[in-house]
Amino acid sequence: MGFLSAIKCIFGGTPSGDAVHGPEAVADKTLAADDVPAGGGDADLLLRLREAAPRLSVWLGIVLEGVETAGSLLNTRLLFLLRALDVPEDEARTFALDFDDWLRRMDYRLVEEFCSELQYRLALALDLEDEDDERNRLFVKISEGLARTREHLTRRLDTLFASHGELDDEFWKNMGELFIMADMGYETSLALVERLKNSARRKGVTKTAGIRDVLRREIEDVFAAPCRISAVNPPEVLLMVGVNGVGKTTTIGKLAHRARMQGKKVMIAAADTFRAAAIEQLQVWAERTGSLFYAKPAGTEPAAVAYGAMEAAVKEGVDMLFVDTAGRLQTKTNLMEELTKIRQVLGKKHPGAPQRTILVIDATTGQNALSQTKFFKEAAGVDELILTKIDGTAKGGIAVAVALEHGLPISFAGLGENSEDLRPFSGAEYAAALFGESGGGVKQQRPKAGNGHMSVKVLLLVVFLSL
């Protein structure tokens, strides 16, 4: 079933139970007849698309020419593009309706306000996130996000390399101190220096002139994620953990948005029942992303919320269930017991759940992120990390420290406030951006977040347009 068919099913279903809330149904809406080009559409526009470089941003730029605001012309052009990509008519219309509904909820009118979001949605729906053009756009965001960290690190590296010619003991000592100042921590800095020494020795590098490339490649290796079985019996349950204030609620919303754009039916469960406004904030995100929402009154036992949400998710045929949890480190013992209970009730109701336990950490907290990772790894069995607020810190080196010290993969990085600013993390691109190199064409193994549904058609069209 295609992405847009999945959206139609999501909006078409009526959730049962007082605690489960779904998005306002939009499947019955229709576009006016004059919103849609008759027949094959505008011949000149189609010719321009055929002659253009086979890139999503180029195609989108062509169809949006002359479109200044949301409305009938935008719908017409968007439907034209989807038809040119041979997307089934019902799926194309549902995509346009869903986007139009989102524009109204967000109160966006001008193209510059929503163009980036539209490209992001199309890239996910068409499975074009690995397209070079889209990767270049992502790399720019990563590079901009690491600008402050890069400024600090490269300046110190340049000074260090200029003051040493040989890779002697004094050089390695100063290198370790540099890493510590980059907020990588003492133990991690020593470990990274040792790895660099061994790597330089194996490659026969004896001068400082050759160590920069060795350093970049070593940092890439730090982020190498192990292979694992990604298939699950739905629903896939993601247990979200992290201290208060790291951006966990926003991250859940962004992940839900991403999954929805990939055609998944999503439910968000509010198991943090003690923090003020936590339930209300999650409900806003559920409504914004078109996800189902499960909650109980404030003060309810979190494990009871998790159990009820698991039961509702199975009943509703949900693909992904996000379970929010509390993050009160001042009550360590209680929090550990609480997380253990939640894991137990989820697994009892749905064997294997939670399939992924994701820790959200704030890059601006520096060394505190290391202690948080250690605590939650012990308490909740963390599988992966999401690093938020990279765009607002000079402490981007904490990503290296956490990955090296705890051996956990980083799946996503938060690079801004918008939904599209939560992006798949790539160690190769992180290393390239950290050292100010060009890395937009670097390929990565994407974190599992859903299957694309239109990729074969898009590939065929790319070949067709290239002839």
Side-chain angles (χ1 to χ4, degrees), residues 4 42 58 87-88 119 127 206-207 232 259 301 393-394:
L4 300 167
D42 186 270
V58 176
V87 174
Q119 182 171 337
D127 199 25
T206 59
K207 304 286 187 180
V232 299
E301 176 69 26
T393 182

Side-chain angles (χ1 to χ4, degrees), residues 31-160:
L31 296 174
D34 58 358
D35 287 345
V36 185
D42 186 270
D44 292 337
L45 189 59
L46 182 60
L47 181 61
R48 291 187 60 197
L49 287 172
R50 284 174 56 90
E51 293 176 346
R55 292 183 175 181
L56 179 58
S57 62
V58 176
W59 295 336
L60 192 57
I62 291 172
V63 299
L64 289 182
E65 284 183 8
V67 180
E68 297 181 356
T69 62
S72 61
L73 182 56
L74 173 65
N75 292 333
T76 298
R77 295 290 185 84
L78 183 54
L79 286 168
F80 185 88
L81 175 61
L82 292 171
R83 286 171 177 156
L85 293 170
D86 198 26
V87 174
E89 183 68 20
D90 61 335
E91 297 192 7
R93 284 176 174 271
T94 308
F95 184 94
L97 288 169
D98 184 52
F99 188 66
D100 187 60
D101 182 70
W102 177 82
L103 289 174
R104 284 197 300 272
R105 293 200 308 269
M106 299 300 294
D107 197 26
Y108 286 158
R109 290 291 300 164
L110 302 178
V111 168
E112 54 263 32
E113 293 177 322
F114 59 76
C115 184
S116 183
E117 169 72 16
L118 177 56
Q119 182 171 337
Y120 174 61
R121 287 178 172 230
L122 286 168
L124 289 176
L126 299 169
D127 199 25
L128 286 176
E129 204 172 13
D130 271 341
E131 181 196 49
D132 284 344
D133 192 52
E134 183 65 13
R135 296 203 57 72
N136 287 335
R137 195 166 78 108
L138 170 59
F139 180 75
V140 168
K141 277 191 170 290
I142 294 176
S143 187
E144 290 173 349
L146 288 172
R148 292 176 63 190
T149 300
R150 181 171 60 250
E151 180 183 353
H152 284 71
L153 182 61
T154 55
R155 184 173 66 246
R156 290 165 178 164
L157 281 174
D158 290 342
T159 300
L160 177 62

Side-chain angles (χ1 to χ4, degrees), residues 115-400:
C115 184
S116 183
E117 169 72 16
L118 177 56
Q119 182 171 337
Y120 174 61
R121 287 178 172 230
L122 286 168
L124 289 176
L126 299 169
D127 199 25
L128 286 176
E129 204 172 13
D130 271 341
E131 181 196 49
D132 284 344
D133 192 52
E134 183 65 13
R135 296 203 57 72
N136 287 335
R137 195 166 78 108
L138 170 59
F139 180 75
V140 168
K141 277 191 170 290
I142 294 176
S143 187
E144 290 173 349
L146 288 172
R148 292 176 63 190
T149 300
R150 181 171 60 250
E151 180 183 353
H152 284 71
L153 182 61
T154 55
R155 184 173 66 246
R156 290 165 178 164
L157 281 174
D158 290 342
T159 300
L160 177 62
F161 294 160
S163 61
H164 291 78
E166 301 288 333
L167 300 181
D168 52 21
D169 291 341
E170 185 67 20
F171 170 82
W172 292 119
K173 177 184 176 182
N174 291 338
M175 177 72 88
E177 293 173 353
L178 186 153
F179 291 154
I180 292 173
M181 288 188 289
D183 223 53
M184 292 186 188
Y186 180 74
E187 296 295 335
T188 303
S189 297
L190 291 183
L192 185 55
V193 166
E194 198 60 34
R195 288 178 62 139
L196 284 170
K197 282 183 181 180
N198 295 333
S199 184
R201 189 180 302 114
R202 289 194 306 270
K203 297 175 181 179
V205 176
T206 59
K207 304 286 187 180
T208 57
I211 200 63
R212 188 184 295 269
D213 186 60
V214 175
L215 175 58
R216 180 179 62 80
R217 293 182 181 278
E218 202 61 43
I219 288 180
E220 284 183 31
D221 291 343
V222 166
F223 295 115
C227 293
R228 66 181 184 188
I229 301 298
S230 58
V232 299
N233 295 319
E236 181 178 16
V237 182
L238 288 79
L239 184 64
M240 307 297 296
V241 301
V243 302
N244 294 337
V246 297
K248 181 155 50 73
T249 300
T250 302
T251 298
I252 292 172
K254 291 178 179 180
L255 287 173
H257 174 70
R258 180 182 180 85
R260 281 275 291 104
M261 290 305 98
Q262 292 175 315
K264 289 183 175 292
K265 187 172 184 179
V266 176
M267 179 181 287
I268 298 174
D272 182 359
T273 58
F274 299 104
R275 183 171 65 86
I279 297 174
E280 291 79 5
Q281 289 171 2
L282 270 183
Q283 185 167 10
V284 169
W285 271 108
E287 293 170 354
R288 186 182 298 176
T289 60
S291 302
L292 300 177
F293 181 69
Y294 186 92
K296 286 181 177 292
T300 301
E301 176 69 26
V305 177
Y307 185 87
M310 189 73 260
E311 190 172 48
V314 172
K315 183 178 180 180
E316 296 293 336
V318 165
D319 296 307
M320 297 185 79
L321 169 62
F322 294 91
V323 181
D324 186 25
T325 61
R328 305 178 305 281
L329 279 182
Q330 65 269 27
T331 55
K332 270 190 176 185
T333 303
N334 290 342
L335 181 55
M336 291 182 73
E337 292 176 354
E338 187 178 291
L339 291 173
T340 300
K341 281 184 183 178
I342 291 174
R343 293 180 63 87
Q344 288 174 345
V345 299
L346 288 172
K348 182 178 181 180
K349 189 65 182 177
H350 186 57
Q355 287 86 357
R356 296 159 66 186
T357 300
I358 303 176
L359 171 63
V360 182
I361 55 177
D362 180 349
T364 65
T365 60
Q367 289 298 297
N368 283 336
L370 285 173
S371 59
Q372 291 168 20
T373 303
K374 181 177 185 296
F375 168 72
F376 280 100
K377 188 177 179 182
E378 294 172 353
V382 175
D383 299 305
E384 60 193 77
L385 305 171
I386 292 179
L387 192 63
T388 65
K389 306 179 187 179
I390 286 184
D391 58 313
T393 182
K395 300 178 179 180
I398 193 62
V400 179

